Structure formats: structure tokens, C-alpha cells
Amino acid sequence: MEKAKRPPRGTRKREVPLTEAGIYAAALRLIDADGVEALTMRKLATALDANPMSLYHHVPNKDAVLRGVARMVGTQFRTVTLKDAPWQERIRLLATDFRTLAHRHPKLMAYSFSHQADFIQPEDPFWVALTAILDAAGVPHSELPLISALVGAVITGVLTAELNGALHRWSSLKPPTVGEDGFTPPDHDENRVFRLALDTIIMGLESRLAADGDGQGAGH
Amino acid sequence: MEKAKRPPRGTRKREVPLTEAGIYAAALRLIDADGVEALTMRKLATALDANPMSLYHHVPNKDAVLRGVARMVGTQFRTVTLKDAPWQERIRLLATDFRTLAHRHPKLMAYSFSHQADFIQPEDPFWVALTAILDAAGVPHSELPLISALVGAVITGVLTAELNGALHRWSSLKPPTVGEDGFTPPDHDENRVFRLALDTIIMGLESRLAADGDGQGAGH
DNA sequence: ACCTGAACACCGTTCAAGT
DNA sequence: ACCTGAACACCGTTCAAGT
């Protein structure tokens, strides 16, 4: 039987010309649908109704596509700025906004957190907001990069564990014979653990900031 | 020119017979050397001086090899148990022991943290020790899984950021014009950030435990 | 300038056949 | 029971050729 396929490229004009941004956008759609590992230069070309080799005129190779998609998403992140709210609340909002983005593109974000060390750039809204909040919280300038790195690593780390399912597996382990009517409500575990991690790191920072004025600070 | 290669399989007897454990061990060596993405069933067979297809008699497919290697390393982890030290010190020791393991097999661990949600199993020494310590610290039984998940996610998350270089990039950003003689000693950044994250999460847990006796605890 | 077909050097895995 | 060669259906990418 004849396969029903679109006419070979060239007989039908492509709606949009091939561009770098268009390639990234199409790649993101494929990644959202099927995961990073399923992305193929050939499938990507098909999705764009192009010849696989045409992509190489706009993009050097597959790795550049993945980095480009990650950069695109990392740059697009936006968060509202509550200039005069307490820093605890501002950092909570930043983290949940970032988590919302992660839930919108879970496959890409899980990949980026572990494979793209430069996924979050210093000029990105996320990083700018994070350092501004910690600065306003009273973190000494000399420790700002260190503390920002710490908070950033915790947020992306917990998100990674949530996105790949480890957080759910761990938090639902061994519901250890509670009281008498062992009724452990499922609750929305992931939400709880994320909030819990956030609250705990915030409390830790509060303790650290309360013990201020000592010479070396975070040093040891 | 003739390529100098070993005689074709069969003319020379293989030193060790092919076994599942042997396959995992060889795969780990290749991963340590060249990374997970460079591991190939064909290269693995060559390293074992076997025909590529022979592997499939001991292992169902490549994914099973990766899971097997991860399980092997996860199970082999050992830590000393300081039964009567304060929980803060015990958790610090556990984390640094785990970090040592991560440094021994960085490529595999970075991969496992993000791709193998079941890398750390409930029976694994790491998880057993972690829950035991938090239990001894006074975490209520009802919250033990949640808190353990949180601490586990933070530790693996910060390690991931360290292994892929994000931690280093972030913590060495914008050394913000300190004092007058802007002498920011390089220090060993990674060590500092890891210790800092650990200390901060510990302080957060201390705060949480100090505010005990309230009805719902972490849930709020 | 942009596109393309053919080709190269790889993959993981199936399968029928060997011992 | 264990191994193997040939083959299949893919990959990413190069390159010479087309418009």
C-alpha cells in the first residue's frame, strides 16, 4: 500500500522560513512531548517540514540545539518582584515561580539541571532576583555568591528529585505505623516536601543571619 | 598498513567467563574513564574481549546495564556509625562519606542522581543511616519519611550541582568589590559550599525540632 | 545564501545458526 | 547453555553538488 505522506519538500512552500529561534521552539515542543532522549535531528527536521541537513545551516550541531533550547527557557523566566515584602516571602515566591516553570517543561528542566552547568546565567532573571533578595536579607556582600550558590543548588536539587520521581518515592516510604488508626492521608506529597525544604533552608538562613557580627561568618 | 589488533575472539580463551557482575564492573570502569554517554554495548564487549551479542545472554539491554552499575555502587556504599555522637555530627559524617563516593565515580553518580529515581533504595546503607539519624534526632515518626526525603534531596541536589560544575560557577560569580584590598582567596570553593549547605539545612532542622510539641508539625 | 542527496561511521537489538 | 555473524532500523554529521 502507498504510504500517505506529505509531498516531498520543495513542491510545497514551507510556511515559515527556517530560523534558529524556530528550530529551538520546535525542539522544545518535541522535548515536552517525548523527552530529551527522543529528540533527533531527523525528527526535528520532519517537524519543521525540512530536510535534516538544512538544520545545519542555522545550528552547528545537536548539542547546540539542546543548549539553545535551555537558554531560551532560562531567559524567558519571569517572576514578580515584591520589593518591600520580607525576604522569606520573596524567596518563597521566587522558588515557586521557578517551580511552575519546571512543571511546564519538566523533561527539559530535568535535563538542564544535570547537564547544563550554565543553564542559569548570572544575568538571568532568576539569578538576579535571588541575589537581590539575599542581599536585601542582610547577607554580607562577601558571602553573597556562596549563599546564592547554596540556595540555587538546593532549589534546583529538590526540583530535580521531584521531576525524576525520587522525591515521591522517598517521602512515601515506610509510613511507620502511626498512632492507632494508621490513616496516612496521601496529601500532595510533592508540594509538602518542596515547601518543607524551602522552609527549612529559610530557617537555616535565619539562624545564620541572626548570628551576625562574628568575624568570619560562613567560613566554618 | 595493518592494524595491530588482538586475535579474533575464540582463538584466545577469555581469562574470566562472562558474568552479570563482571559486565557491570567493566561498564563502571568505562564510565569512570569516559562518561556514561560514551558507554556502548559494543565498546563494553570489546573491553571484556567478547562479542557484542554475547552480552545479551547475561543482561537484557543497555538500560539494565546502567541500572545494574548504579545499584552495584549504591549498595556498596558504607559509612561508619557513631551511635552516641550528636545527630548533627552524624549527619555531617554521613553526607561527607557519601560525597567521597560521589567523587570516586562522578560521572556515574551525576547520571544516577538525575536518571535513576531508584538509585537510593530504602534498604541501602545510606537511607538506613539517614533515617536512623533523623529518628534519633527526635524527628516525629509521622514526619520521618518527609524529612528524610528532604535531606536526601538536598544532599544529592547539592552534589549534582557540584559534580556538573554549576556550584563552582555560581559561587565564583561577581566577587563584589570586597573592602579595599579586593583579595578574595580562591579557597576551596566546592568544599565550602557543600559544608555551608549542610550546616544551613542542619540549622533549619534544629529550628524545626526546637519548635516541637505543636499539633501538626511540618505540615502547617 | 540556502538547501539537498548520498554516504560514512557509528548505534542498540533481533534472529537464525552454530558449538 | 552459551556464543556468534549477518542484518535491520536507526543515529549525527560530512561533503560535494545543486539552485
Side-chain angles (χ1 to χ4, degrees):
Chain A
M1 78 178 74
E2 292 285 321
K3 281 200 289 184
K5 49 161 54 177
R6 62 188 350 150
R9 278 252 59 259
T11 72
R12 181 162 82 76
K13 199 88 188 150
R14 177 169 41 246
E15 326 76 37
V16 271
L18 233 36
T19 65
E20 196 184 330
I23 290 174
Y24 295 155
L28 180 57
R29 279 193 297 273
L30 290 185
I31 290 171
D32 282 344
D34 300 322
V36 175
E37 65 289 342
L39 181 71
T40 277
M41 293 301 275
R42 290 162 136 106
K43 284 190 209 159
L44 181 53
T46 305
L48 285 161
D49 191 27
N51 181 289
M53 294 312 108
S54 303
L55 303 184
Y56 286 90
H57 275 270
H58 304 88
V59 131
N61 53 39
K62 183 181 178 179
D63 191 65
V65 173
L66 291 174
R67 281 208 318 279
V69 175
R71 289 294 310 127
M72 185 177 73
V73 172
T75 309
Q76 280 174 356
F77 172 69
R78 287 292 175 275
T79 180
V80 287
T81 311
L82 305 178
K83 226 9 185 160
D84 36 309
W87 65 269
Q88 291 90 336
E89 198 168 326
R90 292 178 65 194
I91 217 166
R92 250 185 281 263
L93 181 63
L94 174 66
T96 51
D97 278 349
F98 196 62
R99 184 169 178 247
T100 303
L101 179 66
H103 286 178
R104 192 139 48 221
H105 305 291
K107 315 270 182 53
L108 174 76
M109 299 286 273
Y111 170 84
S112 300
F113 289 154
S114 47
H115 294 77
Q116 312 277 3
D118 58 351
F119 172 48
I120 295 170
Q121 305 262 75
E123 320 82 31
D124 281 350
F126 177 79
W127 198 256
V128 171
L130 179 59
T131 52
I133 294 170
L134 290 174
D135 187 23
V139 172
H141 272 197
S142 62
E143 298 180 4
L144 201 49
L146 227 54
I147 304 275
S148 303
L150 147 59
V151 177
V154 168
I155 291 178
T156 59
V158 176
L159 274 180
T160 299
E162 179 184 345
L163 293 179
N164 77 12
L167 209 53
H168 178 74
R169 290 186 74 254
W170 290 341
S171 64
S172 56
L173 277 181
K174 193 173 71 162
T177 58
V178 62
E180 45 227 14
D181 65 337
F183 182 49
T184 34
D187 214 335
H188 221 320
D189 262 346
E190 254 107 71
N191 290 335
R192 289 190 68 202
V193 192
F194 189 81
R195 286 183 58 95
L196 197 60
L198 212 47
D199 290 345
T200 305
I201 205 78
I202 285 173
M203 285 197 279
L205 290 176
E206 283 173 343
S207 301
R208 179 174 303 284
L209 292 171
D212 57 358
D214 59 346
Q216 271 300 51
H220 83 95
Chain B
M1 78 178 73
E2 292 287 320
K3 282 200 290 185
K5 50 160 53 178
R6 64 189 347 153
R9 277 254 59 254
T11 71
R12 181 161 80 78
K13 201 81 187 153
R14 178 170 42 246
E15 326 75 37
V16 271
L18 234 36
T19 65
E20 197 184 329
I23 290 174
Y24 295 154
L28 180 57
R29 280 193 296 272
L30 290 185
I31 290 171
D32 282 344
D34 301 321
V36 174
E37 64 290 342
L39 181 70
T40 276
M41 294 300 274
R42 289 161 136 108
K43 284 191 210 157
L44 182 52
T46 305
L48 286 160
D49 191 26
N51 181 291
M53 295 310 111
S54 302
L55 303 184
Y56 287 88
H57 275 270
H58 303 89
V59 131
N61 53 40
K62 184 181 177 179
D63 189 65
V65 173
L66 291 174
R67 281 208 318 280
V69 175
R71 290 294 310 127
M72 185 176 74
V73 172
T75 310
Q76 279 174 357
F77 173 70
R78 288 289 176 276
T79 180
V80 287
T81 311
L82 304 178
K83 214 39 176 138
D84 37 308
W87 66 267
Q88 291 90 336
E89 198 168 326
R90 292 177 66 192
I91 218 167
R92 252 185 280 263
L93 180 63
L94 175 66
T96 52
D97 278 349
F98 196 63
R99 184 169 178 248
T100 304
L101 178 66
H103 286 178
R104 193 138 50 220
H105 305 292
K107 315 270 182 53
L108 175 76
M109 299 287 272
Y111 170 84
S112 300
F113 289 154
S114 46
H115 293 76
Q116 311 279 2
D118 58 351
F119 172 49
I120 294 169
Q121 305 264 70
E123 321 81 32
D124 281 350
F126 177 79
W127 198 256
V128 171
L130 179 59
T131 52
I133 294 170
L134 291 173
D135 188 23
V139 172
H141 272 198
S142 61
E143 299 180 4
L144 201 48
L146 227 55
I147 304 275
S148 302
L150 146 61
V151 177
V154 168
I155 292 178
T156 59
V158 176
L159 274 180
T160 299
E162 179 184 344
L163 292 179
N164 77 12
L167 208 53
H168 178 75
R169 290 185 73 255
W170 291 340
S171 64
S172 56
L173 278 182
K174 193 175 69 162
T177 57
V178 63
E180 46 227 11
D181 64 338
F183 183 48
T184 33
D187 214 335
H188 221 320
D189 262 346
E190 254 106 72
N191 290 335
R192 287 191 70 201
V193 193
F194 189 82
R195 286 183 59 96
L196 197 60
L198 212 47
D199 290 344
T200 305
I201 205 77
I202 285 172
M203 285 197 281
L205 290 176
E206 284 173 343
S207 302
R208 180 174 301 285
L209 291 171
D212 58 357
D214 60 346
Q216 271 300 48
H220 132 72

